[in-house]
Amino acid sequence: MLTRVRRWGPGLLLISPSLLLLGVFVYGLIGWTIKVSMSDRHTAAESDGFVGLSNYVDLFTNDINGRFLHSLRNLLIFTVVFLLGTMLLGLLWAFLLERGVRAEGLFRTVYLFPMAVSFVASGVVWRWLMNSGQGDDAGGLNAIFGQLNLGFLQNPWWTDPEWGMVAMAVPAIWQLSGYVMALFLAGFRGIPAELREAAAVDGASTFQLYRRVLFPQLTPVALSALIIVGHMSMKMFDLIMSVSGAQWLTEVPAVYVWQTLLTSDYAKASAISVILLLLVALVIVPYLVQTMRTERRS
Amino acid sequence: MTTTTTRRTPPPAVAAPPRKRRGPTTGVIGRTFRYCLLLLFLLIVLMPAYVLVVTSFKSGSDIGVNGQWNLPEQWSTESWAKAWTALGPSFVRTFQLAIPVALISSLLGAANGFVLSRWRFPGADVVFTLILFGMFIPYQAVMIPLRDVVSTLGIAPGIPTLIFVHCVYGIPICTLIFRNYYATTVPVEMVEAAWVDGAGLIRTFRSIILPVSIPGFVVAVIWQFTSAWNDYLFAIFLSNTRNGPITIALNALAGAQSPDYAASMAGALITSLPTLVVYVFLGRWFIGGLMAGSVKS
């Protein structure tokens, strides 16, 4: 017992500041936000009246123009397109690169470079590219579509009231497909060579090799990618702020929190934040628990 | 940590049976098709970069609706000068933010990672999971009280506050990077030997572990530097254009109702330059951080 204390006492000392900081600044502050979300602090003035879940109920049933539901709908469209786009492109790029091609390093470096740039910086150029003008007023991508005789591709991008969020996902796909590619590439390279050889011995065609042997091996990687990109999508804030600014058309919950804070409605902003946290926790917690379990078994 | 190493098996002792090979023609066509696709995607991915560079060198009169995809008629650095005037001070401030953040976070991460990789106390997994969850939360869920707390603690607004919050919320990812690094690359025997020799935990850490930690540090430093440099969320909640980092200044420059696109794009390039330089020269380690971010070890 004494040796244990002597051996690990300093270790505890070493990690306790970090644990304390995280305890306070992650879990403590989340608790605080939950408390504010159940209060009536709707103005800058301090107010501690407890109102239970009514701020949450109001968001779903009593928000002006159904603003919160609108932001959830936007988030859903954005997430579906963003996930589909990054997964397809990421897998395709990894597939094209996995058997080794000349200048593989160059392709990988270029495909992944948007990850090193901030959404705020890339938002500047995407705002220009996704210029909503068409015909004679066409700018950005619409202009190039016009020049290439692809005029039918011209569209209002994110300013479309119904499907604008599909366009908003385009820069996000540009930014993160390389990341998904890197994950898949690592997955491909982690598959033991024996599996490929065994398949070749059994006379499997290339198509069968991928369909029956390699792709099934990538399922865990695909799941990781889905969860990581999915939770990033739910938190999407920088990109939307820099492409469209805080606008009704493209509002998602993370932006709604910011807009609500500008009006000093702390209770409502907290309630939206807590819902956002729950959405993220819903995908991340099972993932973390499962990862820890697999790790312990190995 | 998942790295992109290729596992090669030794050549088989017995000659493998002849493989079914595709005809040479399909091979060539397939390969050509593959390279065409790769090149096409290369161009698409680089297209925004082309626009950024080209537009940033145009002067105000050169940016019309016509020929906006063309090269500048006259290469002008006017917009770069304008962007630098707007962003210069915050550019310096962002270095003052990102460098301390990178150093402090990686030191904290190394200490935590070492202890957690070696010490299997009861509930260690639960503690580690709770730590990791901190890197996935939407920071909006802590932001509202956070503003009050940092000012109550007496931390100066602007860069000092941002250094503090990036260090705190960077603990999970840095701990993860180092824990995985120590668990996979530092042999248990090395630590055990030090213990047999009577070295305590701290001394083991200082004289045995730290010297072999350089790769872990490179990954963590790059990761934290890039995150702090590119951050916008903490910046917009906790600072302003006068005391905040470059993302805030860029957004102010580019976010106007009728923005000066040439200056905005020069600004976007200035903003991206440091992280791009890091990426180009230290890409391998940058990817290490990316991989760690998916938790799987």
Side-chain angles (χ1 to χ4, degrees):
Chain A
M1 183 59 207
L2 202 62
T3 39
R4 276 179 66 97
V5 171
R6 215 173 286 147
R7 175 149 295 166
W8 292 115
L12 192 64
L13 224 60
L14 215 53
I15 61 170
S16 49
S18 298
L19 293 184
L20 192 71
L21 282 172
L22 288 181
V24 171
F25 282 90
V26 174
Y27 295 97
L29 294 193
I30 287 176
W32 192 332
T33 306
I34 294 174
K35 183 169 168 266
V36 176
S37 78
M38 295 186 181
S39 76
D40 58 357
R41 203 176 154 198
H42 294 295
T43 56
E46 285 288 336
S47 172
D48 278 332
F50 178 78
V51 297
L53 293 177
S54 74
N55 289 323
Y56 294 90
V57 176
D58 280 353
L59 279 176
F60 285 100
T61 58
N62 202 15
D63 210 14
I64 297 161
N65 290 328
R67 187 170 166 188
F68 183 64
L69 292 175
H70 168 78
S71 74
L72 281 181
R73 175 185 178 274
N74 279 346
L75 184 62
L76 181 70
I77 297 175
F78 179 85
T79 302
V80 169
V81 180
F82 181 30
L83 277 177
L84 271 178
T86 45
M87 294 301 280
L88 285 177
L89 273 184
L91 183 60
L92 176 63
W93 292 350
F95 168 77
L96 290 172
L97 289 173
E98 67 103 8
R99 268 181 303 177
V101 298
R102 217 166 287 201
E104 181 194 320
L106 171 77
F107 287 117
R108 253 188 314 162
T109 305
V110 171
Y111 290 167
L112 199 59
F113 102 88
M115 266 306 276
V117 179
S118 64
F119 277 123
V120 179
S122 63
V124 172
V125 65
W126 280 101
R127 185 143 74 114
W128 184 90
L129 286 168
M130 299 199 292
N131 188 318
S132 60
Q134 296 178 48
D136 289 340
D137 293 333
L141 286 169
N142 281 350
I144 209 95
F145 289 153
Q147 279 174 26
L148 296 173
N149 288 321
L150 294 168
F152 64 94
L153 281 175
Q154 291 190 350
N155 70 81
W157 300 101
W158 58 265
T159 59
D160 183 275
E162 276 300 304
W163 300 107
M165 287 312 281
V166 174
M168 194 53 98
V170 172
I173 295 170
W174 173 79
Q175 200 117 1
L176 275 144
S177 293
Y179 172 58
V180 177
M181 172 204 70
L183 287 177
F184 275 124
L185 210 48
F188 269 122
R189 304 265 153 100
I191 299 173
E194 292 87 0
L195 272 180
R196 288 172 194 253
E197 280 155 22
V201 170
D202 292 344
S205 68
T206 310
F207 176 75
Q208 284 171 323
L209 171 71
Y210 280 98
R211 169 82 183 72
R212 307 241 171 248
V213 182
L214 299 183
F215 285 149
Q217 293 278 324
L218 294 179
T219 319
V221 178
L223 196 68
S224 302
L226 267 179
I227 286 168
I228 300 296
V229 177
H231 105 282
M232 288 176 90
S233 172
M234 289 175 191
K235 300 195 290 192
M236 197 51 70
F237 176 78
D238 308 11
L239 173 72
I240 293 169
M241 289 293 279
S242 97
V243 172
S244 68
Q247 293 213 22
W248 159 264
L249 272 179
T250 55
E251 188 165 84
V252 293
V255 175
Y256 193 2
V257 172
W258 171 244
Q259 289 295 96
T260 311
L261 270 184
L262 290 181
T263 64
S264 297
D265 191 339
Y266 292 95
K268 185 172 168 183
S270 300
I272 305 168
S273 304
V274 172
I275 294 174
L276 196 57
L277 177 70
L278 287 177
L279 283 177
V280 169
L282 218 59
V283 295
I284 286 295
V285 171
Y287 176 69
L288 285 178
V289 169
Q290 192 260 338
T291 308
M292 287 297 132
R293 255 189 222 142
T294 357
E295 203 186 85
R296 208 179 318 154
R297 249 185 272 127
S298 59
Chain B
M1 200 189 308
T2 327
T3 44
T4 45
T5 44
T6 322
R7 270 184 233 165
R8 296 205 188 283
T9 44
V14 187
R19 290 195 194 172
K20 223 169 78 177
R21 292 188 60 133
R22 284 172 303 162
T25 18
T26 46
V28 170
I29 294 173
R31 211 173 319 132
T32 314
F33 185 61
R34 178 189 300 248
Y35 278 105
C36 285
L37 269 181
L38 283 169
L39 270 175
L40 176 72
F41 283 119
L42 192 84
L43 292 180
I44 293 177
V45 173
L46 285 177
M47 182 250 322
Y50 166 81
V51 169
L52 274 172
V53 173
V54 165
T55 314
S56 75
F57 283 106
K58 288 180 179 173
S59 59
S61 55
D62 209 358
I63 314 180
V65 169
N66 290 322
Q68 35 176 308
W69 284 82
N70 301 349
L71 293 171
E73 278 169 24
Q74 215 157 20
W75 293 75
S76 143
T77 51
E78 178 192 315
S79 305
W80 280 82
K82 190 175 169 198
W84 180 251
T85 315
L87 301 181
S90 63
F91 188 78
V92 177
R93 279 199 297 269
T94 316
F95 273 109
Q96 291 165 346
L97 162 70
I99 293 172
V101 164
L103 297 179
I104 299 170
S105 319
S106 9
L107 275 175
L108 283 173
N112 298 336
F114 171 61
V115 173
L116 287 171
S117 70
R118 287 288 173 260
W119 184 19
R120 296 293 162 153
F121 58 91
D125 285 349
V126 178
V127 170
F128 191 54
T129 310
L130 286 172
I131 293 178
L132 286 190
F133 183 62
M135 77 191 211
F136 293 107
I137 59 165
Y139 294 123
Q140 279 88 349
V142 293
M143 206 64 88
I144 296 161
L146 182 62
R147 290 208 272 202
D148 298 341
V149 172
V150 286
S151 67
T152 310
L153 286 176
I155 305 173
I159 298 302
T161 292
L162 288 173
I163 291 177
F164 178 76
V165 298
H166 279 295
C167 285
V168 169
Y169 294 102
I171 291 174
I173 179 76
C174 291
T175 303
L176 176 69
I177 289 172
F178 279 101
R179 178 181 172 273
N180 287 354
Y181 177 72
Y182 291 138
T184 50
T185 21
V186 178
V188 185
E189 294 78 24
M190 239 165 99
V191 180
E192 308 258 296
W195 282 344
V196 170
D197 291 347
L201 185 94
I202 304 280
R203 225 183 83 202
T204 314
F205 179 59
R206 218 186 41 220
S207 53
I208 308 285
I209 302 298
L210 273 186
V212 297
S213 301
I214 306 287
F217 270 100
V218 179
V219 171
V221 162
I222 291 178
W223 184 258
Q224 278 302 89
F225 179 87
T226 311
S227 319
W229 189 281
N230 285 343
D231 165 68
Y232 178 67
L233 183 60
F234 281 124
I236 193 178
F237 275 88
L238 300 168
S239 70
N240 55 48
T241 43
R242 269 164 289 113
N243 62 13
I246 195 158
T247 45
I248 297 289
L250 175 65
N251 205 252
L253 173 71
Q257 269 309 319
S258 51
D260 176 344
Y261 269 118
S264 309
M265 294 209 191
L269 285 171
I270 293 173
T271 307
S272 313
L273 219 54
T275 50
L276 277 181
V277 167
V278 167
Y279 173 69
V280 168
F281 290 102
L282 300 166
R284 195 153 70 85
W285 286 280
F286 177 78
I287 295 169
L290 279 182
M291 291 297 152
S294 73
V295 185
K296 298 284 187 204
S297 58

